[in-house]
Amino acid sequence: MSKIDVNDAMLAYDEAGSGSPVVLIHAGIADRRMWRGQLPALATRHRVIVPDLRGYGESELPPSPFAHHDDVIGLLDALGVARAALVGCSFGGKVAMDTALAYPDRVSALALFGAPVSGTEWSEETEQLWDELVGEADPEDFAATAAGEVRFWVVGPTRRPEDVDPELIRFADEMDRRALAAELALSAVEVSELDPPAIDRLGELAMPVLVGTGADDLADLRRLADRIAAEAPQGVRLPDVPDAAHLLPLERPEPVNAALLDFLP
């Protein structure tokens, strides 16, 4: 692990390999450790950079206003990278997409797994499912909230907990507890969003775009993946990966790695 000053915040990151640069951006319920299955595989061909977003994992959270997509470019600047492919899962996919729209000349390709899109809202179906599985947990009760969020995201709406690798559930729960503490701290800081948001700008994604989801992820996200791939001029939709939910790269690294090695420039 290394740390580097990015826009007046010390961001933690891992780095391995050489070749064309690739940045892996973690989910909002996780940290950079979720890419443990991708880092060694991609490093055989690429310079792979895996940061903790500001406030998450081992990265700092100064009180000054910021935008996650500005931090991604700040990280590239600090590491002397002119252009990179961005790979994002979940919230990390949203950050990656926003970065590609805000700084199109800096992004060579975009790969998105289970990615929401800025400017969209969840369906009533998803809201009801959230109420059933997570409910109104005390935001400072990280254990109870993490248990509900792991049930919602990592197990997914179409599986039972006993259908899922218990080590995956344990690791996801550990990461999510840390992420919940990060989100609580982030709520006290001004975080800028992309303006205008991405949902009506998908046609501006001129770079190659790869989009994938787990077959057991939320229907909202599978529909969004269809839309991104259809509207991005060079969009490619991967078939849904069976027996996988929201943290697809962590749960099923082999098909994700194969797709990425085939796709990345």
Side-chain angles (χ1 to χ4, degrees):
M1 187 272 288
S2 301
K3 284 195 172 185
I4 197 165
D5 188 345
V6 174
N7 299 331
D8 298 322
M10 295 300 294
L11 299 192
Y13 69 99
D14 296 321
E15 182 174 355
S18 60
S20 58
V22 179
V23 180
L24 309 181
I25 308 176
H26 63 79
I29 62 169
D31 54 51
R32 73 184 195 277
R33 293 176 294 163
M34 70 159 285
W35 298 107
R36 63 188 185 183
Q38 282 68 51
L39 180 58
L42 299 183
T44 60
R45 299 185 193 174
H46 299 276
R47 178 184 180 186
V48 187
I49 301 161
V50 192
D52 281 328
L53 293 172
R54 185 185 301 218
Y56 289 87
E58 296 176 277
S59 289
E60 293 182 350
L61 181 64
S64 54
F66 77 100
H68 286 297
H69 52 272
D70 291 339
D71 275 357
V72 174
I73 298 303
L75 178 65
L76 297 184
D77 290 343
L79 295 176
V81 176
R83 297 178 79 229
L86 304 183
V87 180
C89 177
S90 185
F91 177 71
K94 172 183 175 293
V95 172
M97 188 185 308
D98 288 353
T99 305
L101 289 168
Y103 301 94
D105 295 339
R106 304 295 300 275
V107 179
S108 60
L110 191 61
L112 309 168
F113 297 102
V117 181
S118 58
T120 60
E121 295 184 358
W122 297 114
S123 68
E124 183 177 342
E125 170 194 6
T126 296
E127 296 281 6
Q128 289 178 347
L129 185 65
W130 178 269
D131 289 343
E132 292 171 12
L133 298 181
V134 184
E136 297 293 331
D138 181 347
E140 296 187 17
D141 186 346
F142 300 148
T145 303
E149 290 194 347
V150 168
R151 175 65 184 86
F152 182 86
W153 293 115
V154 180
V155 175
T158 59
R159 298 189 294 184
R160 300 169 301 172
E162 54 267 32
D163 298 329
V164 180
D165 179 1
E167 168 57 22
L168 173 68
I169 292 178
R170 185 208 62 76
F171 184 47
D173 184 84
E174 178 199 332
M175 287 195 296
D176 193 27
R177 292 189 195 206
R178 293 185 68 182
L180 288 165
E183 290 175 357
L184 187 62
L186 282 160
S187 67
V189 178
E190 182 182 338
V191 183
S192 299
E193 299 289 341
L194 184 70
D195 186 22
I199 189 58
D200 294 320
R201 302 172 61 185
L202 300 177
E204 296 177 33
L205 295 170
M207 67 289 297
V209 178
L210 181 72
V211 192
T213 61
D216 297 295
D217 204 349
L218 297 174
D220 279 5
L221 293 173
R222 288 185 280 112
R223 286 190 289 264
L224 268 179
D226 293 341
R227 179 172 173 181
I228 296 165
E231 296 188 22
Q234 297 188 68
V236 175
R237 178 71 160 93
L238 288 173
D240 286 346
V241 177
D243 193 24
H246 195 53
L247 295 186
L248 174 59
L250 178 63
E251 186 171 10
R252 296 284 177 258
E254 293 84 2
V256 169
N257 294 346
L260 289 173
L261 287 168
D262 185 58
F263 168 75
L264 291 170

